[in-house]
Every structure is written in structure tokens, then in C-alpha cells.
Amino acid sequence: MRRALLAAAAVAFAAGAWTALSPGDAGLSLLLVALALVAAGFVWLESGTGSAKEIALVAVLGGTAAAGRVLFAAVPGVQPVTVVAVAAGAALGARVGFAVGAVAAFVSNFYLGQGIWTPWQMLAWGGCGVAGAVGAGAIRNRWAFAALCFALGFAFSSAMDLWHWYSFWPHTWEALTVVYGRGVWFSVAHAIGNVVFVLAVGPELRRLLERYGRRLRVEIAWVEAPPERAWGQTP
């Protein structure tokens, strides 16, 4: 596992250096960075204890989030993936939260369209799951949960806009302003949609996943029985 993580990190570093040295090839080099980081994330998931059960849970949660994204595809910018990833990260830890967000992006894009943007969506939504784990103690309150997902709605859209600008647009402040200006309404819709999903089911989903997580961590401890006493022996 450690060798796989080191190899992924080396590929990400080399591709990042390529990006810095050859901005004209930014799209391809950034794609390699994203693929390496996604691979590292899934190696991280596999390295956990009880990984088989976690992987099954990730598949279910990722598929559910993907189905929700497809269901709301007619409403631009609105999808439940961020909320599901944050709830998974808060309840089950950063590894599961990352994997749920990444799987949801990958699976839903089979319907919505795969492309060079897919690894970056996987990373961005995986990052939302990690943010849920980091802020788990602060989002017990429904409104705090909603505030975090509201901010992550803008963060996700900003990250995708930044990738789009650096990969395909002139590297100028004017071009960056145009890209962000074109996507601002999608960012607003994403953030507000996240708040609606959290207020509807966010804390309940987290509590459900926490209960399931406790069952995953239940262990049976075998205790050696004391030796039997001989007949008539006093204790």
C-alpha cells in the first residue's frame, strides 16, 4: 500500500512539474495529477481495517448519491452528492467520505457524460467528504451542517472553474474573471441546493450512518474461562 501511495504521489508531482514548465500542456498534465491523486485516495481506502465492509458501504452510498445527481440533472447545479459525501465523512471518517464523493462522481458521469473533467469532480467531491470528517465535531447542529455544505457548494464550483480556466483559457486575470462570472449562478444553485438537502435529511442521514459505523466496528473478544474447581475444593 505504501509503495502504491508513493508511486501515485510521484506521478502527481511529476505531472505538476510538467504543468509549471509547460503551461501549454496544462490540460493533459493536470489530468495526470487528478488521476494519480484519485488512485492514491482509493489505495488509502483499501488500507483501512475492515476494508471489505467499507467498500460495500461506499458502493451503496456512492450509487445512491449518483442516482440523486442524475435525478436532479434537469436543475443545473443542484445535486445531493456534496451532502451525502459530507455526511459519510462526518459519520464514518475521511477515507469513506472521500471514496463516496469520488464514486458518486464517476458513476453518475456514465449517464451525464464522462470526460477529462471526471477526475477533478471525483477529487472535489472526495474533498467534500474529507471536509465532513475534519468538521465532524462542529456540524452536529442542523444549521452548522447546512452552513458547511453551503460553503462547500461554492468551493466545489470554484475548484472546477479554476481547473477549466487553467486547462483551456489564457492564464490571465481577465480570463479567470470571465470563467468565474459565467459559472456564478451554477455555484449559487449548488450552494442553495445543498442547504435544502441538509435541512431535509442531513442530520438524519448522518445519525443513520453513525449507527451503521458502530456495527462495523463491533468486535467479539474471546475470554478464557477460569479453570474448574475440584469437588469439595473451597474457593
Side-chain angles (χ1 to χ4, degrees):
M1 294 299 178
R2 183 176 299 177
R3 287 194 294 270
L5 284 171
L6 289 175
V11 171
F13 177 81
W18 182 15
T19 301
L21 296 173
S22 181
D25 297 324
L28 178 58
S29 54
L30 287 178
L31 177 62
L32 293 177
V33 171
L35 290 173
L37 293 176
V38 168
F42 281 102
V43 172
W44 181 31
L45 173 69
E46 181 66 24
S47 66
T49 57
S51 58
K53 295 180 180 178
E54 287 184 345
I55 290 172
L57 179 59
V58 165
V60 172
L61 290 175
T64 301
R69 186 184 177 208
V70 172
L71 180 64
F72 286 93
V75 187
V78 175
Q79 62 269 312
V81 178
T82 303
V83 175
V84 176
V86 170
L92 302 168
R95 290 185 301 106
V96 174
F98 175 87
V100 168
V103 167
F106 182 70
V107 172
S108 59
N109 279 358
F110 279 107
Y111 179 84
L112 299 174
Q114 299 283 2
I116 58 174
W117 53 85
T118 297
W120 287 103
Q121 289 177 330
M122 294 173 70
L123 278 179
W125 267 315
C128 291
V130 174
V134 172
I139 58 173
R140 291 288 177 183
N141 179 275
R142 187 181 298 269
W143 290 102
F145 195 165
L148 175 61
C149 289
F150 181 82
L152 289 175
F154 283 103
F156 174 89
S157 298
S158 296
M160 295 305 299
D161 286 340
L162 184 63
W163 161 79
H164 182 70
W165 165 74
Y166 198 84
S167 297
F168 304 108
W169 287 68
H171 298 163
T172 64
W173 289 109
E174 293 79 7
L176 180 61
T177 302
V178 171
V179 171
Y180 274 117
R182 292 173 58 182
V184 65
W185 297 113
F186 293 95
S187 302
V188 171
H190 189 178
I192 294 176
N194 288 347
V195 171
V196 173
F197 287 123
V198 170
L199 295 181
V201 297
E204 291 76 15
L205 175 60
R206 175 180 175 167
R207 287 194 291 269
L208 176 66
L209 294 178
E210 285 177 340
R211 287 197 296 270
Y212 189 83
R214 285 193 292 270
R215 294 178 182 177
L216 286 179
R217 291 187 288 269
V218 170
E219 297 181 358
I220 299 176
W222 297 98
V223 179
E224 184 178 356
E228 295 183 359
R229 296 187 181 92
W231 177 258
Q233 183 181 357
T234 58

